[in-house]
Amino acid sequence: MVTTENATSSVERWVQEIQGITQPDQVVWLHGGAEEYSRLMEQALKDGVFQKLNEETFPNCYLHRSHANDVARAEHLTFICSRTEDQAGPTNNWWDPKEAREKVGGLFKGCMKGRTLYVIPYLMGVEGSSFSQVGVELSDSIYVAISMTIMTRVGDVALKHLETTGTFVKGLHSTGELDPERRYILHFPEDREIWSFGSGYGGNALLGKKCHSLRIASAQARDEGWMAEHMLILGLQRPGAEEITYIAAAFPSACGKTNLAMMKSPLEKLGYKVWTVGDDIAWLRIGEDGRLWAVNPEAGTFGVAPGTSFESNPNAMAMTNHDSLHTNVAVSPSGEPWWEGIGHDAPEGLIDWHGNVWDGKAPAAHPNSRFTCPIATCPSLSPEYNNPQGVPISAILFGGRRAKLAPLVYQTYGWDHGVFVGASMGSEMTAAAAGQVGATRRDPMAMLPFCGYHVGDYLSHWIEVGKRASSPPLVFNVNWFRKGDDGKFLWPGYGDNVRVLKWIAERVEGTADAEETPIGYVPKADALYLDGLNLDPETLKQLLSVNSDAWKAELEGIDTFFAKIGDRLPKALLEEREKLAKRLG
């Protein structure tokens, strides 16, 4: 542990305070490094928290099974405890901070008796970067200690950074009894503090993830003039281009975000290669050149396993084959992970995510099962990933699942129009259990569950950033999921999405053709590079078509959502709505 008094004294005092409340048997400080990781894993194997997978075919890979009632983010139990309800806004669950601290604070009393308290200092971002921030998570979960070591830069590196900043985000976590009736995830934006009790699942327990990097960071970004976004970051390398084109993209869940971030380009032999900077979180600041520069503050990937295959995401599959954690997947008798959509049939004697022999009646792997991997193992990792200045963003993409409405891609008419498109972004739901298959869920900038303050103020912040940036990115909307009358997807997707990225990069440099439509600029039929695709002219016409009547109906849904935001909705977005209505006639 770094012992510089200025860097650690506030952390040490807080640890002592929490130790007195939670009463653990021992306190273990994490310093970081491979030897410490090995010691933690040895203990976790001994405790039965992890089990080793096949060492020959999946070296240094481990399986973790969470409790059956603790397998996903608990959004209904996630609260923004701002000082007033108005600050939390209509899209967040609000809880009076005094009441929240009293009720949940009582649950922490003595909760770590017989357990170890892990002190996890972590750095979000690159060492030495002005983007980077320190957090300290106190947790009684060795799963959390190990996972945070993968997902962030843990240990002395964080305390060293703290010497220069003097501030850190406090995160207190206990698995409690894993009782859903005593499960709370609390965020105190003004105090830069997070409490999590009663869950061991990643999104609820790895407090550097959505809790810090989005909910707390978004509020901090508003106050300090930067942006914390639920976005991937990729770079497109093109033959003859002097610079790599960097793109940030925000998609709701189940819309191919990780697959796009780690895309293996089928045009790589022609010189079109995709570089991965980040697959989930982007922190953006306006640079001296007036452009937005972005970093990925994470050090790992926490991906959804089902549907990941060598067809959909070969780079992710390469990452999961070594030095990775697998949570709630199925396992073969020989100790190899398996999940639905992996690309090959389930082996005989498969053990499901509950630990039982699979009977074939329910999914073998939980639909939200995960893989956790160091991003350093990503074959397409950008050489600029560790650049403390970040990368300059030339384009921002929004998108969702729209079977009939949105074309394959269109460019907005400017920054404010782009914010309007992101603010009204919707995706058709796919979960049959919800009873709303096909219903459109509005998810502004894919931040609906993650914005740490009033969504109207969040959208105003976007408008303001565009005013301050002299060269803001161009904004586009993409839709890989348009369907024909037969219900089949019209676009092949996956790696072939690089063809759309190629057009976007060419629009950035002003060389690609487009035609003006009521919703924005759509590629001309011959502007997309389609060599090697079996895509007939009629299919392409459907992919790029804009139905004004359908968009008029879409305006009704947008109006309903905007009405929920109320008078805090930026005037600029209402103006963009009226402009769209006029263009639609």
Side-chain angles (χ1 to χ4, degrees):
M1 181 179 68
V2 175
T3 58
T4 303
E5 179 65 16
N6 289 339
T8 60
S9 58
S10 57
V11 176
E12 290 171 344
R13 285 195 300 271
W14 179 56
V15 171
Q16 290 170 4
E17 175 191 346
I18 299 304
Q19 184 178 356
I21 294 169
T22 58
Q23 300 176 32
D25 280 12
Q26 63 176 332
V27 177
V28 173
W29 285 70
L30 267 58
H31 307 294
E35 290 184 9
E36 179 178 82
Y37 182 87
S38 295
R39 288 197 302 271
L40 288 170
M41 186 56 74
E42 287 176 9
Q43 186 63 48
L45 290 170
K46 180 180 178 181
D47 295 345
V49 175
F50 285 96
Q51 70 179 58
K52 199 165 183 56
L53 296 177
N54 189 309
E55 182 60 27
E56 291 186 6
T57 53
F58 286 81
N60 202 29
C61 291
Y62 302 88
L63 171 70
H64 171 70
R65 293 191 180 103
S66 64
H67 194 284
N69 72 24
D70 188 34
V71 292
R73 286 196 320 270
E75 290 186 14
H76 65 296
L77 299 173
T78 300
F79 297 89
I80 301 298
C81 303
S82 51
R83 289 168 189 163
T84 67
E85 185 173 4
D86 180 64
Q87 289 171 301
T91 58
N92 283 317
N93 300 316
W94 178 76
W95 197 351
D96 177 87
K98 184 179 178 181
E99 293 180 5
R101 287 184 185 276
E102 287 178 357
K103 179 166 184 176
V104 180
L107 301 179
F108 279 106
K109 292 180 179 179
C111 69
M112 297 187 188
K113 288 180 179 178
R115 304 182 184 184
T116 297
L117 169 59
Y118 295 96
V119 180
I120 311 169
Y122 63 90
L123 183 66
M124 302 298 294
V126 180
E127 184 178 4
S129 171
S130 59
F131 280 89
S132 300
Q133 296 185 18
V134 175
V136 179
E137 177 168 1
L138 309 185
S139 174
D140 57 10
S141 166
I142 197 168
Y143 165 80
V144 167
I146 289 170
S147 297
M148 285 290 287
T149 299
I150 294 174
M151 292 301 301
T152 66
R153 296 161 175 86
V154 157
D156 294 350
V157 64
L159 294 177
K160 180 180 178 182
H161 192 86
L162 182 60
E163 293 176 22
T164 62
T165 63
T167 60
F168 64 96
V169 172
K170 295 179 178 179
L172 174 59
H173 166 255
S174 174
T175 56
E177 308 86 23
L178 296 177
D179 180 355
E181 300 300 319
R182 289 156 58 90
R183 180 172 294 160
Y184 303 96
I185 301 92
L186 311 180
H187 304 76
F188 303 90
E190 293 91 353
D191 301 318
R192 311 288 194 242
E193 193 168 350
I194 308 156
W195 286 8
S196 174
F197 188 89
S199 173
Y201 170 77
N204 304 326
L206 308 183
L207 302 187
K209 191 67 181 156
K210 308 297 192 188
C211 296
H212 179 168
S213 64
L214 289 180
R215 296 191 189 101
I216 295 297
S218 63
Q220 185 174 354
R222 168 203 58 190
D223 297 342
E224 299 175 358
W226 49 285
M227 305 171 79
E229 300 298 329
H230 188 209
M231 288 180 168
L232 66 86
I233 311 168
L234 63 81
L236 178 64
Q237 179 179 316
R238 295 177 295 137
E242 293 184 3
E243 295 183 350
I244 289 175
T245 303
Y246 290 99
I247 297 170
F251 304 144
S253 60
C255 291
K257 191 175 168 202
T258 301
N259 292 346
L260 184 66
M262 299 180 180
M263 178 197 304
K264 189 170 179 60
S265 166
L267 306 182
E268 194 165 323
K269 290 182 179 179
L270 301 178
Y272 295 91
K273 177 177 175 58
V274 172
W275 293 101
T276 305
V277 180
D279 74 318
D280 195 38
I281 312 291
W283 286 356
L284 305 101
R285 296 180 188 270
I286 300 174
E288 293 180 0
D289 57 1
R291 295 187 291 178
L292 277 179
W293 290 69
V295 297
N296 168 19
E298 297 189 295
T301 294
F302 185 66
V304 176
T308 303
S309 67
F310 281 103
E311 179 189 11
S312 67
N313 197 334
N315 284 325
M317 289 296 289
M319 295 171 72
T320 66
N321 285 349
H322 65 98
D323 302 287
S324 57
L325 310 182
H326 297 258
T327 302
N328 294 335
V329 301
V331 184
S332 73
S334 61
E336 297 184 339
W338 188 91
W339 51 77
E340 281 72 13
I342 198 171
H344 58 83
D345 292 340
E348 288 291 328
L350 186 70
I351 306 300
D352 68 16
W353 70 276
H354 293 287
N356 303 317
V357 177
W358 186 46
D359 61 10
K361 295 178 181 178
H366 189 274
N368 195 41
S369 55
R370 298 278 176 157
F371 52 82
T372 309
C373 313
I375 199 166
T377 64
C378 179
S380 58
L381 185 66
S382 169
E384 296 300 306
Y385 161 72
N386 273 315
N387 189 330
Q389 302 304 316
V391 295
I393 301 299
S394 297
I396 287 176
L397 314 187
F398 297 117
R401 287 179 175 265
R402 304 308 298 267
K404 297 294 183 181
L405 182 73
L408 176 64
V409 58
Y410 67 92
Q411 179 189 343
T412 65
Y413 285 115
W415 180 263
D416 286 4
H417 182 214
V419 177
F420 169 80
V421 169
S424 59
M425 182 168 68
S427 189
E428 290 153 8
M429 299 176 68
T430 60
Q436 295 181 325
V437 173
T440 300
R441 179 181 189 253
R442 302 288 164 187
D443 189 353
M445 283 72 172
M447 281 285 284
L448 193 69
F450 309 122
C451 186
Y453 61 104
H454 196 294
V455 65
D457 295 346
Y458 167 76
L459 297 173
S460 293
H461 183 56
W462 266 79
I463 297 292
E464 180 61 28
V465 168
K467 290 178 181 177
R468 291 194 293 113
S470 58
S471 299
L474 301 185
V475 183
F476 299 79
N477 191 87
V478 296
N479 177 27
W480 320 126
F481 304 99
R482 194 152 187 175
K483 294 181 178 180
D485 293 336
D486 60 0
K488 295 181 179 179
F489 292 119
L490 298 172
W491 181 249
Y494 302 137
D496 284 309
N497 293 338
V498 74
R499 302 169 187 270
V500 175
L501 299 185
K502 177 180 181 294
W503 180 81
I504 288 170
E506 290 166 354
R507 287 298 291 173
V508 168
E509 68 181 12
T511 60
D513 286 337
E515 56 184 345
E516 195 171 329
T517 75
I519 64 170
Y521 300 105
V522 173
K524 289 187 176 180
D526 59 354
L528 291 171
Y529 182 82
L530 301 176
D531 288 11
L533 284 188
N534 185 22
L535 202 67
D536 61 79
E538 180 57 34
T539 299
L540 181 61
K541 183 178 178 181
Q542 289 183 64
L543 275 167
L544 300 179
S545 65
V546 176
N547 185 316
S548 291
D549 289 337
W551 278 95
K552 289 175 185 176
E554 173 76 356
L555 277 177
E556 296 178 11
I558 293 172
D559 289 345
T560 300
F561 180 70
F562 279 2
K564 293 180 181 178
I565 299 176
D567 59 8
R568 300 273 272 274
L569 183 76
K571 182 181 177 183
L573 299 192
L574 293 175
E575 292 173 352
E576 290 296 334
R577 186 260 181 231
E578 292 308 310
K579 290 177 184 178
L580 175 58
K582 278 188 178 181
R583 293 194 297 265
L584 290 169

